[in-house]
Amino acid sequence: MMTPSTLVETVSINYEDFSEHFLTCSTCLCTYDSQEHIPKLLSCSHSVCRSCLERIVAATGVRDAGSFRCPICRETIPLPRGGINALPPSFLVNQLLDLMSRQRREVVPRCSTHTTQELLFCESCDCVFCSACTEGSHDNGNGSYSHTVIPFSIAIKRMSEILLYKANLCIGKLNAAAENVHSEVGKLDQNVDHTFELINRTFQEVINTVEKRRQEVLGMVKKIRDEKKKVLLEQLAMIQGEKSKVEQECQGLQHQVEVRNITKKISDLNEKIDAVKNVMEPRENAFIKYEHLHNSAFSDIEAALNVFGRVRTSKTFPTLCTADVHDTSAHLHSCSLLRTVDYHGSLQTVGGDPVAVELRYENGDEVEVQLLDQNDGTYSIKYTPELPGIYKLHINIFGRPIKDSPYQFTSSEHINPVFCFGSAGAGDEHFLQAAAVAINKAGRVFVLDTGNSRIKVLGPSLEFLQHFHGDGLEERGGTGIAVTPSDSLLVINWRTRYATELNFDGMLISQFTHSDFVEPLSLVVNSKGEILIVDNRLKCVFVLDPSGKLLRRIELKRKGSRHSKYVSLIATGPQDEILIADSHIQVFSPGGEFLREIYPEGRNRGHFGGITYDKKGYILASRSDKNKHYIQVFNFISGQLLYCIDSADAKLKRPAGLAVDDQYNVVVVDLGNDCVKKYRYK
């Protein structure tokens, strides 16, 4: 007889998840109990603890209205006459509480002092307590009840989940770090294999070179041997031939009866015996010797081999390397400095790292970058942003970005002055109607301070040095100044109509004028040393030799073109072309033939205040147009306006004469502000 059996299906339940979903008040997240958090069953079938319901009723003032809304489904719940206590208990929840309490009593943390009280956790204070310890209330000491208090068991579960999440996150990052290290190990092995191959190839080339030389020396020995041996064998053959002749002649002598014949033979043999002396010594010697210490070649080779090839490595740690990247101005050459350090943050002292640099404009276009290894652990990164806007500079070492890469910087459309000097007045730091400026090879700046009848001499940083007074500056008539190829200054005075040559200490060298001068306003000296003086009244250019002798006169007129109303500005081009500026720029050949016109953008009604050529392909001209004042930079060949120099802070006001140095700096007279300003323009 078979015994009946029952198959029981069991289900494994996670106590924490079960308690959180079924035994926890969904409003306050506290575990139901038999005291404060008694589960109450609402008519909508949802269970809410008594404590939460009392707060809802008290907060909404519905005691007299007779109803309130379920905090879960928002259904209207009628309030019994006995209040919240009269609501039926949630028997299902109570039964589950009894069941779980019998099954897992030990999982509910209890207070060590009040053993019947469940431990609570305040997330705001980060402390553990029970309701008996706080006498039924918990606040932050100032009467505020805004703290978040939850059962300690739930807090442990949440913190465990956070701990697990953080652990997984940490493990993920460690795995990524391990992958990076493994990848670097793989790259190291590849680089080592490549280095081995390169070493073997280059040293094999050395071995091949040595072997080639060895064969050459062996060939030299063989050649010498063959040449010597040939001479000796020829001598030996000759000896053997003579020997054969003697042997043949001596045959049959014993049968010879003629005394005369025998005598003659004896005489012939005596001659041969005498001749044999000449072949007794070998005509060539057997000496041959190899030497390798006859010069310094061996030691040189040894020394060269000792330094032949090198293995370079690096301790650079890209993540800690930094670069100095700053905002700049469009069209100006800019430079950022990359500093490399090792893992400990110590600066590197040698270069050679594989640095990769990429610069991109905000629209994604790549900008040309020049990288220069300083061989001291630093690298210069040079670039020229041609457009205003936002740029990103990406810097990688070993294919890994350095700290804070990519660097973002802004290129402004404005170019601020590097130096600014002067204000209105008559003192050392003052100007009064300054008209023109010139710069010598040493960088000294000579400003024609017309209103004060003097030349102010400034250093490269526009620091005051001295004043020139006297010759050529009379009657506040100085309007033009230039530097000559013979290292002197030329000043034109429109009132006296004299051109005066001074040395760089202000001493008079010579003076000259011409009877045709009427209103000479400006002058320039070309590459041949010829002096060009523009006369505004006559609308012409006088070309004179260094002594002041008139060579030719150029009329500034041409058919079909309007004539300039005001001609006061002159400069020369790369082939001594003559540049004349008023509202536009006219270009003439050295002989006076009109070539072309250069108009500012828009062909507006403004006028130029100064013009110069920088000998590097650019025309710079100061311009005023209503309330706009700036320096314009043109391409000499095409006449295209490239950009304008207009500072955002120190605004120009009626810019006048200007001059350039060899470092892409332009000094301009700011007539409206009675000062001079120095700008970088490239």
Side-chain angles (χ1 to χ4, degrees):
M1 179 178 180
M2 297 182 62
T3 304
S5 62
T6 302
L7 181 62
V8 179
E9 184 177 2
T10 61
V11 179
S12 177
I13 299 176
N14 184 286
Y15 175 76
E16 287 78 7
D17 289 343
F18 184 81
S19 297
E20 185 173 351
H21 285 86
F22 298 101
L23 305 181
T24 302
C25 175
S26 58
T27 303
C28 64
L29 301 179
C30 293
T31 304
Y32 293 121
D33 56 26
S34 59
Q35 297 176 5
E36 183 179 358
H37 300 287
I38 299 173
K40 292 293 184 176
L41 181 65
L42 305 182
S43 59
C44 61
S45 300
H46 287 122
S47 296
V48 182
C49 75
R50 185 182 68 183
S51 177
C52 290
L53 293 175
E54 288 175 345
R55 284 200 301 271
I56 292 172
V57 171
T60 56
V62 298
R63 184 177 299 276
D64 297 331
S67 65
F68 63 94
R69 291 187 178 276
C70 171
I72 300 174
C73 67
R74 309 304 297 169
E75 182 177 333
T76 301
I77 308 298
L79 185 66
R81 289 185 178 181
I84 296 301
N85 288 329
L87 288 171
S90 178
F91 295 104
L92 177 60
V93 174
N94 285 330
Q95 288 177 351
L96 290 174
L97 284 171
D98 292 340
L99 174 63
M100 296 308 294
S101 117
R102 290 195 300 269
Q103 295 295 325
R104 295 286 299 272
R105 293 180 185 273
E106 71 280 4
V107 300
V108 180
R110 304 289 180 179
C111 178
S112 60
T113 304
H114 310 92
T115 56
T116 61
Q117 296 293 321
E118 180 182 357
L119 286 176
L120 304 175
F121 178 74
C122 178
E123 293 183 338
S124 303
C125 298
D126 196 24
C127 64
V128 180
F129 57 90
C130 73
S131 57
C133 291
T134 59
E135 298 180 355
S137 65
H138 172 72
D139 58 34
N140 58 4
N142 58 8
S144 173
Y145 292 87
S146 60
H147 288 201
T148 303
V149 179
I150 60 174
F152 185 56
S153 58
I154 295 178
I156 291 177
K157 182 177 183 300
R158 289 183 179 177
M159 287 188 286
S160 299
E161 291 174 350
I162 294 173
L163 177 64
L164 183 61
Y165 169 77
K166 293 293 185 182
N168 290 333
L169 183 63
C170 183
I171 290 173
K173 291 185 177 295
L174 289 173
N175 288 336
E179 290 180 4
N180 291 338
V181 174
H182 282 303
S183 175
E184 199 68 19
V185 171
K187 291 179 182 178
L188 176 62
D189 291 337
Q190 291 178 357
N191 288 339
V192 168
D193 292 340
H194 175 72
T195 304
F196 282 163
E197 179 182 351
L198 191 60
I199 291 173
N200 290 332
R201 184 168 69 247
T202 53
F203 272 88
Q204 186 60 49
E205 291 175 359
V206 174
I207 294 173
N208 293 341
T209 302
V210 173
E211 177 61 24
K212 179 181 178 182
R213 179 58 181 168
R214 187 179 76 90
Q215 293 298 333
E216 289 176 354
V217 175
L218 290 175
M220 291 169 57
V221 173
K222 291 178 181 179
K223 181 180 180 181
I224 294 172
R225 179 201 64 185
D226 293 342
E227 291 175 351
K228 286 179 173 288
K229 196 171 184 179
K230 179 181 179 182
V231 173
L232 293 174
L233 290 178
E234 289 176 352
Q235 183 180 4
L236 189 62
M238 184 187 67
I239 293 173
Q240 191 63 38
E242 293 297 326
K243 178 183 175 183
S244 298
K245 289 180 181 179
V246 172
E247 289 177 347
Q248 289 178 0
E249 291 176 356
C250 291
Q251 288 180 359
L253 287 178
Q254 63 272 22
H255 304 293
Q256 186 62 254
V257 293
E258 286 291 334
V259 176
R260 289 181 181 177
N261 290 338
I262 294 173
T263 303
K264 185 176 183 303
K265 292 290 185 182
I266 291 172
S267 176
D268 291 341
L269 287 175
N270 286 333
E271 291 179 359
K272 286 185 180 294
I273 290 172
D274 293 336
V276 167
K277 294 179 181 180
N278 296 328
V279 296
M280 285 297 295
E281 291 292 330
R283 294 180 179 176
E284 189 53 271
N285 57 70
F287 178 79
I288 187 168
K289 181 182 179 181
Y290 170 67
E291 294 179 348
H292 64 281
L293 299 177
H294 61 293
N295 56 24
S296 62
F298 184 80
S299 59
D300 292 344
I301 293 173
E302 186 177 24
L305 285 176
N306 288 335
V307 296
F308 178 76
R310 65 174 178 176
V311 179
R312 299 191 66 172
T313 186
S314 174
K315 295 291 185 181
T316 298
F317 192 67
T319 308
L320 297 181
C321 298
T322 57
D324 295 330
V325 181
H326 306 284
D327 291 342
T328 184
S329 297
H331 314 294
L332 297 188
H333 295 313
S334 301
C335 182
S336 296
L337 185 65
L338 167 63
R339 293 183 176 86
T340 58
V341 298
D342 62 13
Y343 178 77
H344 303 288
S346 300
L347 290 172
Q348 298 289 73
T349 57
V350 295
D353 289 330
V355 179
V357 182
E358 181 183 82
L359 178 62
R360 291 194 176 273
Y361 186 50
E362 57 188 20
N363 64 0
D365 291 345
E366 188 170 357
V367 179
E368 183 179 356
V369 177
Q370 181 183 4
L371 179 68
L372 180 62
D373 188 349
Q374 305 288 353
N375 293 316
D376 59 358
T378 64
Y379 302 80
S380 295
I381 304 170
K382 298 182 178 180
Y383 46 88
T384 304
E386 294 296 343
L387 298 173
I390 298 174
Y391 291 79
K392 286 187 177 180
L393 181 63
H394 301 258
I395 306 176
N396 293 335
I397 305 177
F398 314 129
R400 308 203 300 265
I402 69 169
K403 183 179 180 181
D404 298 330
S405 178
Y407 290 85
Q408 181 171 300
F409 65 91
T410 301
S411 176
S412 172
E413 63 180 345
H414 299 289
I415 300 176
N416 291 320
V418 181
F419 300 107
C420 183
F421 175 88
S423 59
D428 290 346
E429 298 183 358
H430 299 139
F431 293 99
L432 185 61
Q433 294 181 337
V437 62
I439 303 176
N440 68 5
K441 296 177 182 178
R444 285 198 171 188
V445 179
F446 301 89
V447 184
L448 191 55
D449 189 2
T450 302
N452 289 313
S453 295
R454 65 191 181 186
I455 295 175
K456 191 184 294 291
V457 185
L458 306 176
S461 301
L462 300 189
E463 69 276 14
F464 174 76
L465 298 179
Q466 66 183 113
H467 283 132
F468 297 163
H469 298 271
D471 298 314
L473 305 171
E474 304 88 348
E475 303 179 32
R476 299 181 178 180
T479 53
I481 188 170
V483 173
T484 70
S486 58
D487 290 334
S488 62
L489 291 175
L490 270 178
V491 178
I492 188 69
N493 189 309
W494 77 276
R495 294 185 186 276
T496 64
R497 302 174 188 174
Y498 268 88
T500 304
E501 185 177 7
L502 307 171
N503 65 20
F504 290 151
D505 294 321
M507 303 301 294
L508 177 65
I509 297 176
S510 65
Q511 275 188 319
F512 61 87
T513 186
H514 194 275
S515 58
D516 291 343
F517 288 171
V518 177
E519 192 180 356
L521 292 183
S522 184
L523 79 169
V524 69
V525 183
N526 65 20
S527 63
K528 299 176 182 178
E530 295 174 339
I531 303 168
L532 288 77
I533 299 176
V534 62
D535 193 302
N536 178 56
R537 184 74 60 85
L538 299 175
K539 302 295 186 290
C540 71
V541 174
F542 293 95
V543 182
L544 306 100
D545 67 11
S547 66
K549 179 182 178 182
L550 180 64
L551 300 176
R552 58 189 177 276
R553 175 172 167 170
I554 299 173
E555 302 295 333
L556 301 176
K557 300 178 181 179
R558 75 179 186 95
K559 276 188 177 182
S561 175
R562 65 178 181 81
H563 303 320
S564 299
K565 294 181 179 180
Y566 184 71
V567 179
S568 64
L569 307 175
I570 187 170
T572 55
Q575 303 298 324
D576 288 335
E577 297 91 342
I578 301 172
L579 309 178
I580 302 294
D582 57 350
S583 62
H584 63 301
I585 299 172
Q586 297 185 71
V587 183
F588 297 86
S589 71
E593 179 185 357
F594 176 82
L595 299 178
R596 64 183 185 275
E597 288 180 319
I598 298 175
Y599 285 93
E601 201 169 70
R603 301 194 180 188
N604 42 41
R605 297 183 179 180
H607 66 276
F608 290 105
I611 186 171
T612 187
Y613 175 73
D614 71 348
K615 300 181 181 179
K616 297 178 181 178
Y618 301 101
I619 299 174
L620 286 87
S622 58
R623 185 173 181 81
S624 296
D625 183 12
K626 294 183 179 180
N627 295 325
K628 296 180 180 179
H629 310 275
Y630 38 76
I631 300 171
Q632 293 183 318
V633 182
F634 297 89
N635 181 288
F636 177 81
I637 301 296
S638 66
Q640 178 187 2
L641 174 61
L642 302 177
Y643 56 93
C644 296
I645 299 175
D646 178 20
S647 58
D649 302 325
K651 290 286 188 180
L652 285 167
K653 187 177 180 181
R654 294 170 56 208
L658 73 170
V660 295
D661 62 17
D662 294 333
Q663 304 300 319
Y664 292 107
N665 295 305
V666 56
V667 176
V668 61
V669 174
D670 190 341
L671 194 59
N673 292 308
D674 288 299
C675 65
V676 292
K677 295 174 180 176
K678 187 173 188 177
Y679 295 86
R680 285 180 56 208
Y681 68 93
K682 208 52 176 154

